[in-house]
Amino acid sequence: MNALEAAKVAQAALEDKLGEDIKVLDLRGLSNIADCFVIASGKNVNQLRAMADEVEQKLFKEGVKLHHSEGYSGGTWILLDFGNLLVHLFNREERDFYGLDHVWGDAKSL
C-alpha cells in the first residue's frame, strides 16, 4: 500500500472518530520527510487518543505498521509515523499555534 492509499485509510478512520478539519497533504517532491501528511483536530485528550488508536488499527489491518509515535501521553499533539505517511493529531490550540497547514502550504491538498 502506498502512502496516498494509506492516507485515505487514515482519513476514513479519523472521520469515524469524528475528527475535525481533516487534511491530507501530498508532500511528494516537496520533502524527504514523508510522501503524505494527514492533519486533524480533536476536541479533547480522549478523542485524540481514540483517533490515534483507530488510525493505527485500521492501517495495521491493511498491513501498514506504525514505526513510532509521540505525544500519546500528553494528548495535545499526537504524531503517528508510518514511514512515508505521518499523521498529526492536534487539539485546536496546538494546531493553531504550530500551523502545519500553513508551513506546508505549498503541498497539494487531496
Side-chain angles (χ1 to χ4, degrees):
M1 175 174 285
N2 69 36
L4 294 176
E5 293 167 336
K8 290 182 187 216
V9 171
Q11 180 180 19
L14 293 169
E15 289 169 353
D16 287 347
K17 291 298 178 185
L18 305 177
E20 299 175 346
D21 195 17
I22 302 167
K23 292 190 178 177
V24 178
L25 302 178
D26 182 354
L27 300 177
R28 293 175 298 175
L30 295 175
S31 173
N32 295 352
I33 297 170
D35 289 342
C36 286
F37 274 7
V38 176
I39 304 170
S41 300
K43 293 180 181 164
N44 57 54
V45 173
N46 291 332
Q47 183 186 17
L48 289 171
R49 289 177 182 160
M51 290 164 58
D53 292 343
E54 187 75 5
V55 169
E56 183 179 359
Q57 289 171 8
K58 293 273 172 96
L59 284 172
F60 184 79
K61 287 180 184 176
E62 296 294 327
V64 180
K65 294 182 182 166
L66 180 67
H67 294 206
H68 184 74
S69 67
E70 292 284 336
Y72 192 89
S73 62
T76 59
W77 178 1
I78 298 174
L79 170 67
L80 304 173
D81 178 357
F82 294 95
N84 284 333
L85 169 66
L86 295 177
V87 179
H88 298 271
L89 307 174
F90 290 98
N91 69 20
R92 179 53 59 193
E93 294 80 24
E94 294 290 311
R95 186 170 181 173
D96 290 342
F97 180 78
Y98 287 103
L100 286 186
D101 307 76
H102 302 293
V103 170
W104 295 101
D106 292 342
K108 184 172 142 186
S109 187
L110 304 173

